């Protein structure tokens, strides 16, 4: 029995005139209304909004914690299977004759900058330092906290959070979109990734809801990432300039400092987005990769290289051995210790929050990955978007975080790094390592690197939002639409910061992460179905491609 040909056309309704010419008005206007309602609510009823968002965060983590754990385990397994299985791994995105648009260095630079650059600068020192004091192994009494023996457990958990799971989340969304866009000629938008499951139903309101969900998740995911970035930016500027108005009494950045940093970053992002992927974003990505390697080399030479090398290899070994258990372990809420603390550690402070963050970031990063990955094979794509970036994160965490831990273990830091806020721990590490003048110089370099990561993430996000709103048309949009979404993103971040700081930003992010997590899992099943059916079609004797008059499914 012959298998029907795949769906290769998806008619998305786009306006043919006026301000929204080339855009899907339901998706674009619907998203604007929902974002406007969030901004008005958070601005007018800021205390209530902050409290409600915090309650929503707790409810989401407690009710859907297991879902986040198992959904992320599924996408990692699927990505690895697709890369390893010979017949699927050799499939080229765009067809056999497709050639990559970007060099391997630029391709990797843009992926790394858009995917995790900002978070890495904050957490490469902050997370190892935190796990040095508390992680599941210390909570269960398996190792002593803040001791030499704690190091292996530190990296077992740090690598778990920044390894294959994070990048697999981004990778599966990008792979699905790239395959259906470049191999089946469907629009480069989220709804296209569900066509094997829902077919032509995605042309109507159902497809609009899918794309609206993706845009909302993108906006809120970027908001959290930029929120962390500008907090560290403000802390860095205080370190360099010494202006007391930039920090509160507890050392955290003031709202004024973060809002000024936000305006500077977003104004630069709008200019970069207006220049397109091939110019501003590519140049900035290459620059931040060069600066990143320079900073990494500095820590490797002047930090604790032996601790870093030992931690890297032992950490990777521990990660590989423990990953199957870690990936499916969930600690439910409890009133009994240590279960109560394990639940808080996993669901409120670290793992489940991270998984929600990665998921909310996935439509943006995934679509951006798809946009720049035409011409790559599935195996090359998975290696480039999932395995290599994970190893890069491992190197950063052991080189930078290992230096911070070594300074505390040897007593040189005297608790100054452990006592600093997350946004200030990298600068505190530099202050212990170097003379005051040298520390300011290196801190200024970190600030510049941070700006490039912030701008790269923000301008890429603006372009992705416009692409989804335009039904997958990734061509350069008019400057007025770029400016609008740049201003809208700035407003969302500013209002939520004033309503409840980073806590409000993180809580709002969950609004987008939860529904999109279901879409992400369905996209994985859709891709698997499509690849299996394509393999079956290729084995049919008379299969010559996709007939123009064939029934499509």
């Amino acid at each position: 029995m012959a298998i029907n040909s795949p769906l290769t056309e998806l008619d998305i309704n786009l306006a043919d005139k006026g301000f929204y010419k080339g855009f899907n008005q339901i998706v674009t206007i619907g998203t604007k209304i929902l974002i406007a309602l969030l901004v008005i609510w958070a601005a007018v009823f800021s205390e209530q909004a902050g409290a409600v968002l915090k309650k929503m965060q707790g409810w989401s983590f407690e009710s859907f914690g297991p879902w986040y754990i198992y959904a992320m385990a599924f996408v990692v397994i699927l990505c690895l299977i697709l890369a390893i299985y010979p017949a699927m791994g050799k499939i080229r995105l765009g067809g056999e004759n497709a050639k990559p648009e970007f060099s391997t260095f630029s391709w990797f630079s843009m992926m790394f900058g858009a995917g995790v650059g900002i978070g890495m600068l904050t957490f490469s020192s902050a997370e190892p330092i935190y796990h040095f004091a508390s992680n599941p192994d210390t909570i269960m009494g398996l190792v002593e906290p803040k001791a030499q023996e704690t190091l292996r457990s530190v990296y077992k958990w740090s690598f778990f959070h920044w390894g294959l799971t994070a990048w697999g989340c981004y990778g599966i969304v990008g792979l699905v979109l790239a395959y259906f866009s470049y191999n089946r000629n469907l629009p480069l938008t989220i709804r296209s990734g569900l066509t094997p499951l829902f077919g032509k139903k995605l042309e109507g309101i159902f497809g609009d809801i899918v794309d609206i969900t993706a845009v909302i998740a993108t906006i809120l995911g970027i908001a959290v990432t930029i929120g962390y970035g500008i907090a560290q930016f403000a802390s860095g500027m205080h370190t360099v300039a010494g202006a007391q108005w930039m920090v509160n009494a507890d050392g955290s950045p003031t709202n004024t400092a973060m809002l000024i940093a936000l305006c500077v970053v977003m104004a630069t992002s709008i200019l970069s987005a207006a220049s397109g992927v091939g110019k501003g974003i590519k140049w900035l990505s290459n620059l931040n990769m060069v600066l990143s390697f320079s900073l990494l080399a500095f820590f490797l030479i002047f930090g604790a290289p032996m601790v870093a090398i030992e931690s890297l290899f032992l950490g990777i070994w521990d990660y590989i051995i423990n990953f199957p258990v870690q990936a499916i372990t969930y600690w439910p809420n409890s009133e009994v210790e240590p279960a109560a603390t394990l639940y808080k550690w996993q669901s409120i402070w670290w793992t489940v929050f991270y998984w929600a963050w990665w998921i909310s970031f996935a439509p943006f990063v995934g679509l951006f990955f798809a946009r720049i990955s035409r011409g790559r094979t599935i195996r090359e794509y998975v290696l480039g978007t999932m395995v290599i970036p994970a190893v890069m994160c491992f190197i950063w965490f052991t080189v930078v975080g290992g230096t911070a831990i070594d300074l505390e273990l040897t007593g040189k830091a005297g608790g100054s790094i452990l006592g600093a806020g997350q946004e200030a721990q990298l600068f505190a590490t530099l202050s212990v390592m170097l003379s005051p003048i040298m520390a300011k110089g290196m801190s200024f370099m970190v600030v510049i690197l941070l700006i490039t990561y912030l701008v790269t993430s923000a301008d890429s996000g603006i372009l992705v939002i416009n692409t989804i709103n335009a039904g997958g048309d990734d061509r350069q949009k008019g400057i007025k639409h770029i400016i609008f979404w740049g201003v809208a993103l700035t407003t969302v971040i500013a209002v939520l910061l004033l309503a409840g700081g980073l806590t409000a930003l993180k809580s709002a992010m969950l609004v987008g992460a939860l529904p999109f997590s279901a879409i992400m899992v369905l996209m994985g099943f859709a891709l698997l179905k499509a690849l299996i059916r394509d393999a079956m079609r290729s084995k049919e004797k008379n299969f010559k491609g996709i007939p123009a008059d064939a029934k499509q499914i």
Side-chain angles (χ1 to χ4, degrees):
M1 179 179 175
I3 301 174
N4 292 326
S5 295
L7 183 66
T8 57
E9 293 182 3
L10 202 60
D11 185 17
I12 300 175
N13 187 28
L14 303 178
D16 56 8
K17 60 181 179 179
F19 181 78
Y20 292 106
K21 181 179 179 180
F23 287 85
N24 181 301
Q25 289 179 287
I26 294 177
V27 174
T28 306
I29 297 174
T31 303
K32 288 179 178 179
I33 291 173
L34 291 174
I35 290 297
L37 290 174
L38 174 63
V39 168
I40 293 170
W41 177 51
V44 177
F45 307 100
S46 57
E47 290 188 9
Q48 180 194 57
V52 170
L53 288 170
K54 189 174 182 179
K55 287 182 179 179
M56 288 178 64
Q57 175 177 328
W59 167 81
S60 176
F61 285 163
E62 185 166 356
S63 302
F64 295 96
W67 162 254
Y68 283 118
I69 296 293
Y70 301 133
M72 293 293 269
F74 164 73
V75 299
V76 172
I77 293 170
L78 179 58
C79 284
L80 293 177
I81 288 174
L82 294 179
I84 294 170
Y85 191 72
M88 294 182 181
K90 67 181 182 182
I91 294 173
R92 190 170 295 277
L93 302 174
E96 292 183 5
N97 299 319
K99 301 295 182 183
E101 180 182 356
F102 302 98
S103 69
T104 300
F105 180 80
S106 292
W107 179 57
F108 179 71
S109 297
M110 286 190 283
M111 287 190 300
F112 197 73
V116 79
I118 300 169
M120 185 189 61
L121 278 180
T122 300
F123 289 100
S124 60
S125 55
E127 184 163 349
I129 280 290
Y130 185 97
H131 296 339
F132 183 58
S134 176
N135 67 63
D137 292 336
T138 65
I139 293 169
M140 290 185 287
L142 302 177
V143 295
E144 287 293 321
K146 302 180 184 179
Q148 184 70 39
E149 64 175 323
T150 320
L151 271 175
R152 291 187 70 165
S153 64
V154 164
Y155 288 109
K156 180 176 77 174
W157 293 104
S158 295
F159 287 7
F160 177 55
H161 290 152
W162 293 81
L164 297 178
T165 310
W167 293 94
C169 174
Y170 302 153
I172 193 63
V173 174
L175 181 57
V176 170
L177 294 178
Y179 184 78
F180 289 118
S181 179
Y182 304 141
N183 294 65
R184 290 196 172 178
N185 300 313
L186 292 171
L188 186 61
T189 189
I190 303 299
R191 72 176 80 187
S192 295
L194 300 177
T195 49
L197 302 180
F198 301 105
K200 288 284 188 177
K201 293 179 183 178
L202 291 161
E203 292 182 341
I205 190 65
F206 177 55
D208 295 336
I209 292 173
V210 169
D211 282 347
I212 288 173
T213 301
V215 175
I216 295 295
T218 296
I219 291 171
L220 297 177
I222 294 173
V224 170
T225 303
I226 292 179
Y228 273 119
I230 61 173
Q232 191 175 30
F233 177 85
S235 179
M237 287 305 299
H238 169 257
T239 301
V240 174
Q244 290 302 314
W245 61 269
M246 291 184 169
V247 295
N248 296 307
D250 61 357
S252 62
T254 62
N255 284 338
T256 301
M258 287 198 291
L259 290 176
I260 291 174
L262 175 63
C263 291
V264 171
V265 166
M266 292 309 299
T268 308
S269 300
I270 292 170
L271 293 174
S272 178
S275 69
V277 175
K279 294 181 180 179
I281 296 176
K282 175 183 174 181
W283 295 341
L284 279 172
S285 297
N286 289 342
L287 174 62
N288 63 37
M289 189 56 62
V290 170
L291 290 176
S292 294
F293 278 118
S294 300
L295 182 63
L296 192 64
F298 167 82
F299 272 97
L300 190 58
I301 295 171
F302 299 103
M306 296 309 298
V307 172
I309 293 170
E310 181 181 3
S311 296
L312 177 63
F313 287 102
L314 288 176
I316 290 176
W317 171 256
D318 290 339
Y319 172 65
I320 294 172
I321 295 300
N322 290 284
F323 178 78
V325 174
Q326 288 177 299
I328 60 173
T329 297
Y330 175 72
W331 290 297
N333 198 1
S334 174
E335 295 181 357
V336 180
E337 293 294 350
T341 303
L342 286 171
Y343 166 76
K344 292 177 182 177
W345 188 94
Q346 183 186 50
S347 293
I348 298 176
W349 301 332
W350 293 102
T351 308
V352 175
F353 163 69
Y354 266 142
W355 289 183
W357 188 8
W358 304 152
I359 289 169
S360 69
F361 220 44
F364 149 51
V365 180
L367 198 150
F368 186 70
F369 281 7
R371 167 65 182 81
I372 63 176
S373 297
R374 188 182 185 117
R376 309 283 174 178
T377 64
I378 288 180
R379 185 173 296 111
E380 183 182 9
Y381 174 91
V382 172
L383 181 66
T385 63
M386 188 172 168
V387 179
I388 294 178
V391 173
M392 280 297 301
C393 287
F394 297 165
I395 294 172
W396 266 91
F397 273 65
T398 52
V399 172
V400 179
T403 297
I405 290 174
D406 185 65
L407 292 172
E408 288 289 1
L409 276 175
T410 57
K412 294 179 181 178
S416 61
I417 303 174
L418 277 166
Q422 283 185 342
E423 71 284 339
Q425 286 178 323
L426 179 56
F427 302 112
T429 302
L430 291 170
S431 296
V432 174
M433 292 174 62
L434 304 169
S435 66
I437 295 178
M438 287 291 293
K440 286 188 176 183
M442 286 303 300
S443 296
F444 182 71
M445 176 182 168
V446 172
V447 169
I448 297 300
L449 176 57
L450 190 59
I451 291 174
T452 65
Y453 275 130
L454 282 165
V455 172
T456 301
S457 292
D459 58 14
S460 302
I462 292 168
L463 292 178
V464 165
I465 290 169
N466 274 323
T467 298
I468 298 174
N469 287 337
D473 182 0
D474 63 350
R475 290 175 295 181
Q476 189 72 5
K477 303 299 184 296
I479 188 66
K480 56 183 178 292
H481 295 287
I482 292 173
I483 292 174
F484 175 85
W485 285 112
V487 172
L489 189 55
T490 305
T491 305
V492 169
I493 299 170
V495 170
L496 289 175
L497 280 174
L498 294 175
L502 286 175
T503 300
L505 278 173
K506 291 188 290 185
S507 302
M509 174 199 69
L510 298 173
V511 176
L514 186 57
F516 190 77
S517 65
I519 293 173
M520 179 186 70
V521 170
L522 289 173
M523 290 174 77
F525 281 114
L527 177 62
L528 192 59
K529 177 182 178 181
L531 290 171
I532 291 173
R533 281 182 170 268
D534 282 352
M536 294 170 66
R537 290 185 187 98
S538 69
K539 292 179 181 179
E540 291 183 357
K541 273 187 177 182
N542 298 323
F543 182 71
K544 302 294 184 182
I546 302 170
D549 58 347
K551 181 180 177 183
Q552 296 180 336
I553 59 170

